[in-house]
Amino acid sequence: MIISKNAVTTKYERLYYYQDKKIGIPIFQRFYDWKEQQIVQLKTDLLELIDNKDKQLYFLDFIYYEDGGKMMLADGQQRIVTINNLIKAIKDISGERGIQINSIDYFDISYDILANDEKYKTHFNNYATAPFKTVYLKLREFVDAHITRINDFIDVIKNNIFIYLKKCENADDAFEIFQQINTGGKPLSKDEVIKTALDQFKMVYSINVDTSRMRDVKQSIISYYKFKKEEPDKKFDNMAIITFLKDYVTKDRQSFQEFVDTMNSLRGLDDNPIRYVINYINRATLLDVLNILAMKGIDTNIRKEYMTDLMLPLCMMSVALTLNGSSPTSFRYLLTEVVDKIKNNTDLATLNQFLIDKVNSDPITWKITLEDFTDSLGQTTTSRGIKRGLMIMDIIDKNVSGHLTVPLINLEHIYPQNPDREWARMGWPSHSELQKPIIDNIGNYLLLCEAVNKSVQNKYITHKVSQYRSIIARDNLLQTPINTIDFDRFENDGENYIKYRQKDIAKRIREELPFGRVLIIDNQTQGNVSE
């Protein structure tokens, strides 16, 4: 754990000294969850203290940072709320019995999570309720059993409970320390923090926002963060999320409405085919570019030039980076620059040239030889998603009119993943280790918008050709050269045709896809290439 020098100041203080301070429980903390077993030692310590008031109860460390005039406890919630529960037990029993007691007040505690705050206030102002009730009832029993010493308990609470109060310079340092010591329980995850904040403020402002698909919501918020912030932090962790939500999303009704409108507009990208390519090539950070383009009013389905000159080139660069085994950090830095340029209204031609210059200035990271690229399309170590993504990219690039519904496109293996025995009788491999390279060679792939009948999908090719041809005739958008198979050659030449098609696809990707010639070096080509 690394924090700034002198980021934490420490005081050894009486806990009750802070009774009149406003104390907040940050949104990243889980709710109060102490049970009977957590207060056994406390009861023992209290009894010892009332018999010997020269002693002190060290109540461990309280970690806090200041925000909005409050001491925000990063660690200490369970203990201080338990002391409030003890005070409540003392007040309630003394009131019921008509016992005159010394003055004692509650600690002024509130929760950032509004639902938790409501339960807390109900418990302390109205009637005992979960999750505080169990500990409260046990403390009532404890106080009742020692009713003659009730003022001694008050004395001890006010004078003999001490803490090391550690003030952090900022919320980030407090959260880092909280994660390490973790005495108050595991912090909420990013998804939980986001969902909690949005769900409570949609009730506060009466503005609906759908948080059912948290993966999409989180990605949209990350994009919104990068769009809104002039200099986004590289580490968008829990504290950065909390701070951003408070400053840009939930601070007032107008900000929340603007955010919800943006989220709703991004839902229009759900059926954008490039989203599926991004998923196939496993580069989720590319969604930031697509989302921020939309926030700038640029729909890549309508402004197709942004698809061919920006999104497809970026996807191609991602594939080349992966196949080269280069560091993903290079891509993150690249996308940061691309996002900045989009936010600053850089024109598309300049963006495209920027990508070309990036590739040509660092060929080791971005460029790949045609030979290596071809080999990768036949290797089982190259993910099926990358190969499928390349084929979808080709269809996107060549589609000029129809609507491409990617979820309905099936990836078909002509030589099936579980081949019928007839394949072996016709000379194809029978051993699984020899079958694997054939099954996941891109030359064996076919994209179809309808599944072949399951009763024949593993049978020999002659039994499937009529079904294939029937389906392909209806798949106008998928009829590109890369997605075309000569079934007669497939049957007659076997593995040789698959390898031929692998090479043909690699060459076509280089020659026909945006950025193909920039990234893929022909064996005969030397130097930099521009498009």
PDB file of all heavy atoms in Angstrom, residues 376-384 387 411 413 415 417 435-445:
ATOM      1  N   SER A 376      -1.421 -17.510 -37.776  1.00  0.00           N
ATOM      2  CA  SER A 376      -2.255 -17.292 -36.582  1.00  0.00           C
ATOM      3  C   SER A 376      -3.706 -17.682 -36.828  1.00  0.00           C
ATOM      4  O   SER A 376      -4.408 -18.103 -35.913  1.00  0.00           O
ATOM      5  CB  SER A 376      -2.173 -15.833 -36.138  1.00  0.00           C
ATOM      6  OG  SER A 376      -2.872 -14.991 -37.033  1.00  0.00           O
ATOM      7  N   LEU A 377      -4.178 -17.543 -38.074  1.00  0.00           N
ATOM      8  CA  LEU A 377      -5.566 -17.871 -38.391  1.00  0.00           C
ATOM      9  C   LEU A 377      -5.808 -19.378 -38.425  1.00  0.00           C
ATOM     10  O   LEU A 377      -6.955 -19.825 -38.497  1.00  0.00           O
ATOM     11  CB  LEU A 377      -5.971 -17.259 -39.736  1.00  0.00           C
ATOM     12  CG  LEU A 377      -5.916 -15.734 -39.813  1.00  0.00           C
ATOM     13  CD1 LEU A 377      -6.486 -15.251 -41.134  1.00  0.00           C
ATOM     14  CD2 LEU A 377      -6.677 -15.093 -38.655  1.00  0.00           C
ATOM     15  N   GLY A 378      -4.731 -20.136 -38.354  1.00  0.00           N
ATOM     16  CA  GLY A 378      -4.873 -21.589 -38.317  1.00  0.00           C
ATOM     17  C   GLY A 378      -4.534 -22.185 -36.971  1.00  0.00           C
ATOM     18  O   GLY A 378      -4.751 -23.382 -36.738  1.00  0.00           O
ATOM     19  N   GLN A 379      -4.021 -21.373 -36.063  1.00  0.00           N
ATOM     20  CA  GLN A 379      -3.571 -21.903 -34.776  1.00  0.00           C
ATOM     21  C   GLN A 379      -4.713 -21.984 -33.772  1.00  0.00           C
ATOM     22  O   GLN A 379      -5.566 -21.096 -33.704  1.00  0.00           O
ATOM     23  CB  GLN A 379      -2.450 -21.023 -34.201  1.00  0.00           C
ATOM     24  CG  GLN A 379      -1.164 -21.056 -35.015  1.00  0.00           C
ATOM     25  CD  GLN A 379      -0.150 -20.048 -34.515  1.00  0.00           C
ATOM     26  OE1 GLN A 379      -0.387 -19.327 -33.552  1.00  0.00           O
ATOM     27  NE2 GLN A 379       0.993 -19.991 -35.178  1.00  0.00           N
ATOM     28  N   THR A 380      -4.685 -23.048 -32.960  1.00  0.00           N
ATOM     29  CA  THR A 380      -5.683 -23.179 -31.900  1.00  0.00           C
ATOM     30  C   THR A 380      -5.422 -22.192 -30.771  1.00  0.00           C
ATOM     31  O   THR A 380      -6.328 -21.873 -29.992  1.00  0.00           O
ATOM     32  CB  THR A 380      -5.674 -24.608 -31.328  1.00  0.00           C
ATOM     33  OG1 THR A 380      -4.353 -24.926 -30.876  1.00  0.00           O
ATOM     34  CG2 THR A 380      -6.089 -25.614 -32.389  1.00  0.00           C
ATOM     35  N   THR A 381      -4.187 -21.676 -30.664  1.00  0.00           N
ATOM     36  CA  THR A 381      -3.863 -20.708 -29.611  1.00  0.00           C
ATOM     37  C   THR A 381      -4.457 -19.327 -29.894  1.00  0.00           C
ATOM     38  O   THR A 381      -4.586 -18.512 -28.982  1.00  0.00           O
ATOM     39  CB  THR A 381      -2.336 -20.577 -29.437  1.00  0.00           C
ATOM     40  OG1 THR A 381      -1.743 -20.303 -30.710  1.00  0.00           O
ATOM     41  CG2 THR A 381      -1.750 -21.858 -28.870  1.00  0.00           C
ATOM     42  N   THR A 382      -4.768 -19.062 -31.150  1.00  0.00           N
ATOM     43  CA  THR A 382      -5.462 -17.810 -31.481  1.00  0.00           C
ATOM     44  C   THR A 382      -6.940 -18.013 -31.209  1.00  0.00           C
ATOM     45  O   THR A 382      -7.552 -18.950 -31.714  1.00  0.00           O
ATOM     46  CB  THR A 382      -5.255 -17.431 -32.954  1.00  0.00           C
ATOM     47  OG1 THR A 382      -3.861 -17.269 -33.198  1.00  0.00           O
ATOM     48  CG2 THR A 382      -5.980 -16.144 -33.290  1.00  0.00           C
ATOM     49  N   SER A 383      -7.510 -17.135 -30.414  1.00  0.00           N
ATOM     50  CA  SER A 383      -8.884 -17.355 -29.957  1.00  0.00           C
ATOM     51  C   SER A 383      -9.871 -17.412 -31.116  1.00  0.00           C
ATOM     52  O   SER A 383      -9.702 -16.768 -32.150  1.00  0.00           O
ATOM     53  CB  SER A 383      -9.299 -16.251 -28.989  1.00  0.00           C
ATOM     54  OG  SER A 383      -9.592 -15.061 -29.686  1.00  0.00           O
ATOM     55  N   ARG A 384     -10.885 -18.212 -30.903  1.00  0.00           N
ATOM     56  CA  ARG A 384     -11.986 -18.313 -31.863  1.00  0.00           C
ATOM     57  C   ARG A 384     -12.646 -16.948 -32.040  1.00  0.00           C
ATOM     58  O   ARG A 384     -13.094 -16.593 -33.124  1.00  0.00           O
ATOM     59  CB  ARG A 384     -12.992 -19.341 -31.339  1.00  0.00           C
ATOM     60  CG  ARG A 384     -14.072 -19.727 -32.309  1.00  0.00           C
ATOM     61  CD  ARG A 384     -14.956 -20.815 -31.707  1.00  0.00           C
ATOM     62  NE  ARG A 384     -14.213 -22.042 -31.472  1.00  0.00           N
ATOM     63  CZ  ARG A 384     -14.711 -23.122 -30.874  1.00  0.00           C
ATOM     64  NH1 ARG A 384     -15.972 -23.108 -30.442  1.00  0.00           N
ATOM     65  NH2 ARG A 384     -13.980 -24.206 -30.710  1.00  0.00           N
ATOM     66  N   LYS A 387     -10.827 -14.729 -34.655  1.00  0.00           N
ATOM     67  CA  LYS A 387     -11.096 -15.176 -36.022  1.00  0.00           C
ATOM     68  C   LYS A 387     -12.519 -14.808 -36.439  1.00  0.00           C
ATOM     69  O   LYS A 387     -12.756 -14.324 -37.554  1.00  0.00           O
ATOM     70  CB  LYS A 387     -10.875 -16.687 -36.122  1.00  0.00           C
ATOM     71  CG  LYS A 387      -9.441 -17.125 -35.825  1.00  0.00           C
ATOM     72  CD  LYS A 387      -9.361 -18.638 -35.638  1.00  0.00           C
ATOM     73  CE  LYS A 387      -8.022 -19.040 -35.049  1.00  0.00           C
ATOM     74  NZ  LYS A 387      -7.966 -20.476 -34.710  1.00  0.00           N
ATOM     75  N   LEU A 411     -21.647 -19.158 -35.814  1.00  0.00           N
ATOM     76  CA  LEU A 411     -20.338 -19.606 -36.301  1.00  0.00           C
ATOM     77  C   LEU A 411     -20.421 -21.108 -36.541  1.00  0.00           C
ATOM     78  O   LEU A 411     -20.574 -21.893 -35.608  1.00  0.00           O
ATOM     79  CB  LEU A 411     -19.247 -19.287 -35.272  1.00  0.00           C
ATOM     80  CG  LEU A 411     -17.846 -19.795 -35.628  1.00  0.00           C
ATOM     81  CD1 LEU A 411     -17.346 -19.149 -36.919  1.00  0.00           C
ATOM     82  CD2 LEU A 411     -16.868 -19.542 -34.488  1.00  0.00           C
ATOM     83  N   HIS A 413     -18.797 -24.651 -37.967  1.00  0.00           N
ATOM     84  CA  HIS A 413     -17.594 -25.405 -38.327  1.00  0.00           C
ATOM     85  C   HIS A 413     -18.011 -26.440 -39.374  1.00  0.00           C
ATOM     86  O   HIS A 413     -18.790 -27.344 -39.069  1.00  0.00           O
ATOM     87  CB  HIS A 413     -17.008 -26.122 -37.114  1.00  0.00           C
ATOM     88  CG  HIS A 413     -16.536 -25.204 -36.021  1.00  0.00           C
ATOM     89  ND1 HIS A 413     -17.406 -24.652 -35.099  1.00  0.00           N
ATOM     90  CD2 HIS A 413     -15.294 -24.756 -35.697  1.00  0.00           C
ATOM     91  CE1 HIS A 413     -16.709 -23.897 -34.258  1.00  0.00           C
ATOM     92  NE2 HIS A 413     -15.440 -23.944 -34.591  1.00  0.00           N
ATOM     93  N   TYR A 415     -16.144 -28.777 -40.909  1.00  0.00           N
ATOM     94  CA  TYR A 415     -15.680 -30.004 -40.267  1.00  0.00           C
ATOM     95  C   TYR A 415     -16.046 -29.847 -38.796  1.00  0.00           C
ATOM     96  O   TYR A 415     -15.505 -28.991 -38.093  1.00  0.00           O
ATOM     97  CB  TYR A 415     -14.168 -30.152 -40.443  1.00  0.00           C
ATOM     98  CG  TYR A 415     -13.576 -31.357 -39.746  1.00  0.00           C
ATOM     99  CD1 TYR A 415     -13.848 -32.645 -40.202  1.00  0.00           C
ATOM    100  CD2 TYR A 415     -12.761 -31.203 -38.640  1.00  0.00           C
ATOM    101  CE1 TYR A 415     -13.298 -33.750 -39.563  1.00  0.00           C
ATOM    102  CE2 TYR A 415     -12.203 -32.300 -37.995  1.00  0.00           C
ATOM    103  CZ  TYR A 415     -12.484 -33.577 -38.460  1.00  0.00           C
ATOM    104  OH  TYR A 415     -11.950 -34.667 -37.818  1.00  0.00           O
ATOM    105  N   GLN A 417     -17.144 -29.965 -34.686  1.00  0.00           N
ATOM    106  CA  GLN A 417     -16.363 -30.105 -33.463  1.00  0.00           C
ATOM    107  C   GLN A 417     -16.419 -31.528 -32.917  1.00  0.00           C
ATOM    108  O   GLN A 417     -15.490 -31.965 -32.234  1.00  0.00           O
ATOM    109  CB  GLN A 417     -16.879 -29.108 -32.408  1.00  0.00           C
ATOM    110  CG  GLN A 417     -16.731 -27.660 -32.852  1.00  0.00           C
ATOM    111  CD  GLN A 417     -17.203 -26.683 -31.804  1.00  0.00           C
ATOM    112  OE1 GLN A 417     -16.560 -26.510 -30.776  1.00  0.00           O
ATOM    113  NE2 GLN A 417     -18.331 -26.029 -32.059  1.00  0.00           N
ATOM    114  N   GLN A 435      -7.482 -33.512 -34.885  1.00  0.00           N
ATOM    115  CA  GLN A 435      -8.710 -32.848 -35.305  1.00  0.00           C
ATOM    116  C   GLN A 435      -8.739 -31.376 -34.894  1.00  0.00           C
ATOM    117  O   GLN A 435      -9.263 -30.529 -35.626  1.00  0.00           O
ATOM    118  CB  GLN A 435      -9.922 -33.575 -34.694  1.00  0.00           C
ATOM    119  CG  GLN A 435     -10.160 -34.950 -35.270  1.00  0.00           C
ATOM    120  CD  GLN A 435     -11.235 -35.702 -34.500  1.00  0.00           C
ATOM    121  OE1 GLN A 435     -11.586 -35.331 -33.382  1.00  0.00           O
ATOM    122  NE2 GLN A 435     -11.763 -36.762 -35.109  1.00  0.00           N
ATOM    123  N   LYS A 436      -8.173 -31.067 -33.715  1.00  0.00           N
ATOM    124  CA  LYS A 436      -8.265 -29.707 -33.166  1.00  0.00           C
ATOM    125  C   LYS A 436      -7.773 -28.624 -34.121  1.00  0.00           C
ATOM    126  O   LYS A 436      -8.457 -27.602 -34.322  1.00  0.00           O
ATOM    127  CB  LYS A 436      -7.497 -29.619 -31.837  1.00  0.00           C
ATOM    128  CG  LYS A 436      -8.203 -30.303 -30.680  1.00  0.00           C
ATOM    129  CD  LYS A 436      -7.362 -30.205 -29.410  1.00  0.00           C
ATOM    130  CE  LYS A 436      -8.017 -30.964 -28.256  1.00  0.00           C
ATOM    131  NZ  LYS A 436      -7.171 -30.929 -27.035  1.00  0.00           N
ATOM    132  N   PRO A 437      -6.571 -28.773 -34.733  1.00  0.00           N
ATOM    133  CA  PRO A 437      -6.100 -27.702 -35.639  1.00  0.00           C
ATOM    134  C   PRO A 437      -7.011 -27.497 -36.849  1.00  0.00           C
ATOM    135  O   PRO A 437      -7.068 -26.397 -37.399  1.00  0.00           O
ATOM    136  CB  PRO A 437      -4.715 -28.198 -36.078  1.00  0.00           C
ATOM    137  CG  PRO A 437      -4.301 -29.188 -35.035  1.00  0.00           C
ATOM    138  CD  PRO A 437      -5.563 -29.843 -34.580  1.00  0.00           C
ATOM    139  N   ILE A 438      -7.712 -28.551 -37.260  1.00  0.00           N
ATOM    140  CA  ILE A 438      -8.621 -28.417 -38.397  1.00  0.00           C
ATOM    141  C   ILE A 438      -9.893 -27.680 -37.967  1.00  0.00           C
ATOM    142  O   ILE A 438     -10.363 -26.764 -38.639  1.00  0.00           O
ATOM    143  CB  ILE A 438      -8.993 -29.806 -38.964  1.00  0.00           C
ATOM    144  CG1 ILE A 438      -7.727 -30.551 -39.411  1.00  0.00           C
ATOM    145  CG2 ILE A 438      -9.977 -29.671 -40.121  1.00  0.00           C
ATOM    146  CD1 ILE A 438      -7.988 -31.983 -39.829  1.00  0.00           C
ATOM    147  N   ILE A 439     -10.415 -28.074 -36.817  1.00  0.00           N
ATOM    148  CA  ILE A 439     -11.692 -27.522 -36.347  1.00  0.00           C
ATOM    149  C   ILE A 439     -11.617 -26.008 -36.193  1.00  0.00           C
ATOM    150  O   ILE A 439     -12.527 -25.284 -36.620  1.00  0.00           O
ATOM    151  CB  ILE A 439     -12.097 -28.178 -35.009  1.00  0.00           C
ATOM    152  CG1 ILE A 439     -12.450 -29.655 -35.234  1.00  0.00           C
ATOM    153  CG2 ILE A 439     -13.273 -27.443 -34.363  1.00  0.00           C
ATOM    154  CD1 ILE A 439     -12.596 -30.462 -33.952  1.00  0.00           C
ATOM    155  N   ASP A 440     -10.529 -25.506 -35.593  1.00  0.00           N
ATOM    156  CA  ASP A 440     -10.451 -24.064 -35.329  1.00  0.00           C
ATOM    157  C   ASP A 440      -9.548 -23.317 -36.298  1.00  0.00           C
ATOM    158  O   ASP A 440      -9.079 -22.217 -35.989  1.00  0.00           O
ATOM    159  CB  ASP A 440     -10.017 -23.809 -33.879  1.00  0.00           C
ATOM    160  CG  ASP A 440     -11.211 -23.757 -32.935  1.00  0.00           C
ATOM    161  OD1 ASP A 440     -12.290 -23.341 -33.382  1.00  0.00           O
ATOM    162  OD2 ASP A 440     -11.066 -24.150 -31.769  1.00  0.00           O
ATOM    163  N   ASN A 441      -9.330 -23.878 -37.476  1.00  0.00           N
ATOM    164  CA  ASN A 441      -8.695 -23.130 -38.562  1.00  0.00           C
ATOM    165  C   ASN A 441      -9.765 -22.254 -39.205  1.00  0.00           C
ATOM    166  O   ASN A 441     -10.878 -22.711 -39.470  1.00  0.00           O
ATOM    167  CB  ASN A 441      -8.110 -24.101 -39.590  1.00  0.00           C
ATOM    168  CG  ASN A 441      -7.268 -23.401 -40.633  1.00  0.00           C
ATOM    169  OD1 ASN A 441      -7.706 -22.449 -41.266  1.00  0.00           O
ATOM    170  ND2 ASN A 441      -6.058 -23.886 -40.834  1.00  0.00           N
ATOM    171  N   ILE A 442      -9.435 -20.978 -39.437  1.00  0.00           N
ATOM    172  CA  ILE A 442     -10.439 -20.065 -40.001  1.00  0.00           C
ATOM    173  C   ILE A 442     -10.962 -20.545 -41.349  1.00  0.00           C
ATOM    174  O   ILE A 442     -12.082 -20.245 -41.745  1.00  0.00           O
ATOM    175  CB  ILE A 442      -9.863 -18.634 -40.117  1.00  0.00           C
ATOM    176  CG1 ILE A 442     -11.004 -17.616 -40.206  1.00  0.00           C
ATOM    177  CG2 ILE A 442      -8.892 -18.527 -41.288  1.00  0.00           C
ATOM    178  CD1 ILE A 442     -10.556 -16.176 -40.069  1.00  0.00           C
ATOM    179  N   GLY A 443     -10.161 -21.358 -42.051  1.00  0.00           N
ATOM    180  CA  GLY A 443     -10.604 -21.918 -43.326  1.00  0.00           C
ATOM    181  C   GLY A 443     -11.760 -22.886 -43.180  1.00  0.00           C
ATOM    182  O   GLY A 443     -12.427 -23.226 -44.159  1.00  0.00           O
ATOM    183  N   ASN A 444     -12.019 -23.328 -41.941  1.00  0.00           N
ATOM    184  CA  ASN A 444     -13.117 -24.256 -41.661  1.00  0.00           C
ATOM    185  C   ASN A 444     -14.365 -23.524 -41.167  1.00  0.00           C
ATOM    186  O   ASN A 444     -15.357 -24.152 -40.861  1.00  0.00           O
ATOM    187  CB  ASN A 444     -12.649 -25.283 -40.604  1.00  0.00           C
ATOM    188  CG  ASN A 444     -13.666 -26.364 -40.333  1.00  0.00           C
ATOM    189  OD1 ASN A 444     -14.231 -26.938 -41.258  1.00  0.00           O
ATOM    190  ND2 ASN A 444     -13.917 -26.650 -39.066  1.00  0.00           N
ATOM    191  N   TYR A 445     -14.297 -22.188 -41.104  1.00  0.00           N
ATOM    192  CA  TYR A 445     -15.400 -21.403 -40.544  1.00  0.00           C
ATOM    193  C   TYR A 445     -16.376 -20.959 -41.632  1.00  0.00           C
ATOM    194  O   TYR A 445     -15.987 -20.637 -42.757  1.00  0.00           O
ATOM    195  CB  TYR A 445     -14.882 -20.140 -39.852  1.00  0.00           C
ATOM    196  CG  TYR A 445     -14.213 -20.354 -38.519  1.00  0.00           C
ATOM    197  CD1 TYR A 445     -13.984 -21.628 -37.997  1.00  0.00           C
ATOM    198  CD2 TYR A 445     -13.793 -19.268 -37.768  1.00  0.00           C
ATOM    199  CE1 TYR A 445     -13.358 -21.794 -36.773  1.00  0.00           C
ATOM    200  CE2 TYR A 445     -13.164 -19.416 -36.546  1.00  0.00           C
ATOM    201  CZ  TYR A 445     -12.947 -20.690 -36.052  1.00  0.00           C
ATOM    202  OH  TYR A 445     -12.330 -20.853 -34.847  1.00  0.00           O
TER     203      TYR A 445
END
